[in-house]
Amino acid sequence: MLKLTNVNTKIGGFHAIHDVSLEIKQGEFVALLGGNGAGKTTLFRTIAGILNPISGTIEFKGKEIHRKPAHKIVALGLSLCPEGRQLFPQLPVYKNLLLGAYHRKDKKGINETLEEVYELFPILKERRKQLAGTFSGGEQQMLAIARALMSKPDLLLLDEPSMGLAPQLVDSIAEVISNLNKKGMTIFLSEQNAQIALMITQRGYVLENGHLVLEGSSRDLLNNEKVKKAYLGT
Ligand SMILES: Nc1ncnc2c1ncn2[C@@H]1O[C@H](COP(=O)(O)OP(=O)(O)OP(=O)(O)O)[C@@H](O)[C@H]1O
Ligand SMILES: [Mg+2]
């Protein structure tokens, strides 16, 4: 479904992504692990078309997308739930959600997706008129994921959804994401929290200083000495 071949990205003159090649198949749930500044966000922004790679190719569903603008990539079925949520705090919940469907024109379809999203996150329906900025951190993360789903993506990129959340909330977000994958959604999840990411994903990649340095099944990575030392604190 997604294939990167020797992707390099510069940001503000800094060479942040080096020769990254990876592949994600339909239905998979894959982790991207890496510490602060490893390049996770830069890689996701490159895939989503917010940044252009300086070289390499990115294919999504068999089409080259690395020269396409972000809105075209969303329309093809690839949605990024960005780091730090990036909601519109002064807008009510439902308007934030509708912004996730901004490229869609089928009003009926949008309303159907909205109902599906409300079913997944009942709290968003109950509080659809509440301003997003008044939501708690966990609620804002749910809203950010829900907004990303409004485009009806085939592939969902989630950039550090656990960031800044209490352990209990991290667990409930993890459950929501796992359920999305069980229902068939392909998910690429970036996390510094390797423990939680490797518990819920099938396999993973480790990014260090913009280089992919390890890949394997999540079970193998959980037991990998290097991963244990660097990312699991054991
Ligand atoms: N606008 C910029 N100008 C220069 N360097 C940048 C810019 N944005 C990011 N970088 C650098 O690129 C590298 C990768 O940053 P990135 O945000 O992708 O890392 P990350 O893995 O997402 O980290 P975190 O887990 O802290 O979110 C870092 O060294 C960062 O300082
Ligand atoms: Mg980041």
Side-chain angles (χ1 to χ4, degrees), residues 44 81-85 137-138 140-142 144-145 157-165 169-170 173-174 177 187-192 196 200:
F44 275 12
C81 180
E83 177 178 281
R85 346 286 193 222
Q140 290 196 15
Q141 186 59 57
M142 301 281 185
I145 295 171
L157 306 183
L158 288 167
D159 196 358
E160 288 206 57
S162 80
M163 197 203 271
L165 299 184
L169 282 172
V170 172
I173 298 274
I177 312 172
I187 303 178
F188 197 13
L189 166 72
S190 122
E191 270 297 337
Q192 282 198 42
I196 196 91
I200 57 178

Side-chain angles (χ1 to χ4, degrees), residues 79-116:
S79 185
L80 168 67
C81 180
E83 177 178 281
R85 346 286 193 222
Q86 298 189 19
L87 299 168
F88 294 89
Q90 307 293 351
L91 292 182
V93 164
Y94 78 93
K95 285 212 169 149
N96 272 275
L97 287 173
L98 290 176
L99 283 168
Y102 70 95
H103 70 285
R104 293 176 60 183
K105 290 186 182 69
D106 53 325
K107 216 165 171 237
K108 188 163 164 265
I110 293 173
N111 278 329
E112 277 168 20
T113 310
L114 192 60
E115 283 309 317
E116 284 168 26

